[in-house]
Coordinates of all heavy atoms in Angstrom, one line a residue:
G1 N -2.9 6.0 -14.7 CA -4.2 5.6 -14.1 C -4.1 4.2 -13.6 O -4.7 3.9 -12.5
S2 N -3.4 3.3 -14.3 CA -3.2 1.9 -13.8 C -2.5 1.9 -12.5 O -2.8 1.1 -11.6 CB -2.5 1.1 -14.9 OG -3.3 0.9 -16.0
C3 N -1.4 2.7 -12.4 CA -0.6 2.7 -11.2 C -1.5 3.3 -10.1 O -1.5 2.7 -8.9 CB 0.6 3.6 -11.4 SG 1.8 2.9 -12.5
H4 N -2.2 4.3 -10.3 CA -3.0 4.9 -9.3 C -4.1 3.9 -8.9 O -4.4 3.8 -7.7 CB -3.7 6.2 -9.8 CG -4.7 6.8 -8.9 ND1 -4.3 7.5 -7.7 CD2 -6.0 6.8 -8.9 CE1 -5.4 7.8 -7.1 NE2 -6.4 7.4 -7.7
S5 N -4.7 3.3 -9.8 CA -5.8 2.3 -9.5 C -5.3 1.2 -8.6 O -5.9 0.8 -7.6 CB -6.4 1.7 -10.8 OG -7.3 0.8 -10.5
F6 N -4.1 0.7 -8.9 CA -3.5 -0.4 -8.1 C -3.2 0.1 -6.7 O -3.6 -0.6 -5.7 CB -2.2 -0.9 -8.8 CG -1.4 -1.9 -8.0 CD1 -1.9 -3.2 -8.0 CD2 -0.3 -1.6 -7.2 CE1 -1.3 -4.2 -7.2 CE2 0.3 -2.6 -6.5 CZ -0.1 -3.9 -6.5
V7 N -2.6 1.2 -6.5 CA -2.3 1.7 -5.2 C -3.6 2.0 -4.4 O -3.7 1.7 -3.2 CB -1.4 3.0 -5.3 CG1 -1.3 3.7 -3.9 CG2 -0.1 2.6 -5.8
A8 N -4.6 2.6 -5.1 CA -5.9 2.9 -4.4 C -6.6 1.6 -4.0 O -7.1 1.6 -2.9 CB -6.8 3.7 -5.4
T9 N -6.5 0.6 -4.8 CA -7.1 -0.7 -4.5 C -6.5 -1.3 -3.2 O -7.2 -1.7 -2.3 CB -7.1 -1.7 -5.6 OG1 -7.8 -1.1 -6.7 CG2 -7.7 -3.0 -5.3
L10 N -5.2 -1.3 -3.2 CA -4.5 -1.8 -2.0 C -4.8 -0.9 -0.8 O -5.0 -1.5 0.3 CB -2.9 -1.8 -2.3 CG -2.4 -2.9 -3.2 CD1 -0.9 -2.8 -3.3 CD2 -2.9 -4.3 -2.7
G11 N -4.9 0.4 -1.0 CA -5.2 1.3 0.1 C -6.6 1.0 0.7 O -6.8 1.2 1.9
R12 N -7.5 0.5 -0.1 CA -8.8 0.1 0.3 C -8.8 -1.3 1.0 O -9.4 -1.5 2.0 CB -9.8 0.2 -0.8 CG -11.2 -0.1 -0.5 CD -12.1 0.0 -1.7 NE -11.6 -0.6 -2.9 CZ -11.8 -1.9 -3.2 NH1 -12.4 -2.7 -2.4 NH2 -11.3 -2.4 -4.3
L13 N -8.1 -2.2 0.3 CA -8.2 -3.6 0.7 C -7.3 -4.0 1.9 O -7.8 -4.8 2.8 CB -7.8 -4.6 -0.4 CG -8.8 -4.6 -1.6 CD1 -8.2 -5.5 -2.7 CD2 -10.1 -5.1 -1.1
V14 N -6.1 -3.5 2.0 CA -5.2 -3.9 3.0 C -5.7 -3.6 4.4 O -5.6 -4.5 5.3 CB -3.7 -3.4 2.8 CG1 -2.8 -3.7 4.0 CG2 -3.2 -3.9 1.5
P15 N -6.2 -2.4 4.7 CA -6.8 -2.2 6.0 C -7.9 -3.2 6.4 O -8.1 -3.5 7.6 CB -7.3 -0.8 6.0 CG -6.5 -0.1 4.9 CD -6.3 -1.2 3.9
Q16 N -8.6 -3.7 5.4 CA -9.7 -4.6 5.7 C -9.2 -6.0 6.1 O -10.0 -6.8 6.6 CB -10.6 -4.8 4.5 CG -11.4 -3.5 4.2 CD -12.2 -3.7 2.9 OE1 -12.2 -4.7 2.2 NE2 -12.9 -2.6 2.5
L17 N -7.9 -6.2 5.9 CA -7.3 -7.5 6.3 C -7.0 -7.7 7.8 O -6.7 -8.8 8.2 CB -6.0 -7.8 5.5 CG -6.2 -7.8 4.0 CD1 -4.8 -7.9 3.3 CD2 -7.1 -8.9 3.5
R18 N -7.1 -6.6 8.5 CA -6.8 -6.6 9.9 C -7.6 -7.7 10.6 O -8.8 -7.8 10.4 CB -7.1 -5.2 10.6 CG -6.7 -5.2 12.0 CD -6.9 -3.8 12.6 NE -5.8 -2.9 12.0 CZ -6.1 -1.8 11.4 NH1 -7.3 -1.3 11.3 NH2 -5.1 -1.1 10.9
G19 N -6.9 -8.5 11.4 CA -7.6 -9.6 12.2 C -7.8 -10.9 11.4 O -8.2 -11.9 12.0
Q20 N -7.5 -10.9 10.1 CA -7.7 -12.1 9.3 C -6.4 -12.9 9.4 O -5.3 -12.4 9.4 CB -8.0 -11.8 7.9 CG -9.4 -11.1 7.7 CD -9.7 -10.9 6.2 OE1 -9.3 -11.8 5.4 NE2 -10.4 -9.9 5.9
E21 N -6.6 -14.2 9.5 CA -5.5 -15.1 9.5 C -5.4 -15.9 8.1 O -6.5 -16.3 7.6 CB -5.5 -16.1 10.6 CG -5.4 -15.4 12.0 CD -5.3 -16.4 13.1 OE1 -4.9 -17.5 12.9 OE2 -5.6 -16.0 14.2
F22 N -4.3 -16.0 7.6 CA -4.1 -16.6 6.3 C -3.4 -18.0 6.5 O -2.5 -18.1 7.3 CB -3.3 -15.7 5.3 CG -4.1 -14.5 5.0 CD1 -3.8 -13.3 5.7 CD2 -5.0 -14.5 4.0 CE1 -4.5 -12.2 5.4 CE2 -5.7 -13.3 3.7 CZ -5.5 -12.2 4.4
T23 N -3.7 -18.9 5.7 CA -3.0 -20.2 5.7 C -1.6 -19.9 5.0 O -1.4 -18.9 4.4 CB -3.7 -21.3 4.9 OG1 -3.7 -20.9 3.5 CG2 -5.2 -21.5 5.4
E24 N -0.7 -20.9 5.2 CA 0.6 -20.8 4.6 C 0.5 -20.7 3.1 O 1.2 -20.0 2.4 CB 1.5 -21.9 5.1 CG 2.9 -21.8 4.6 CD 3.6 -20.5 5.0 OE1 3.4 -20.0 6.1 OE2 4.4 -19.9 4.2

């Protein structure tokens, strides 16, 4: 469940990062 939760969270968050710029 912990592994699944981690992957699911990244699957939700990473696409939302599109267009964002991060500092170094």
Side-chain angles (χ1 to χ4, degrees):
S2 295
C3 293
H4 175 75
S5 177
F6 177 74
V7 171
T9 299
L10 286 182
R12 181 178 48 83
L13 291 176
V14 173
Q16 294 175 358
L17 300 176
R18 185 174 287 128
Q20 294 186 32
E21 293 188 25
F22 296 94
T23 67
E24 186 57 38

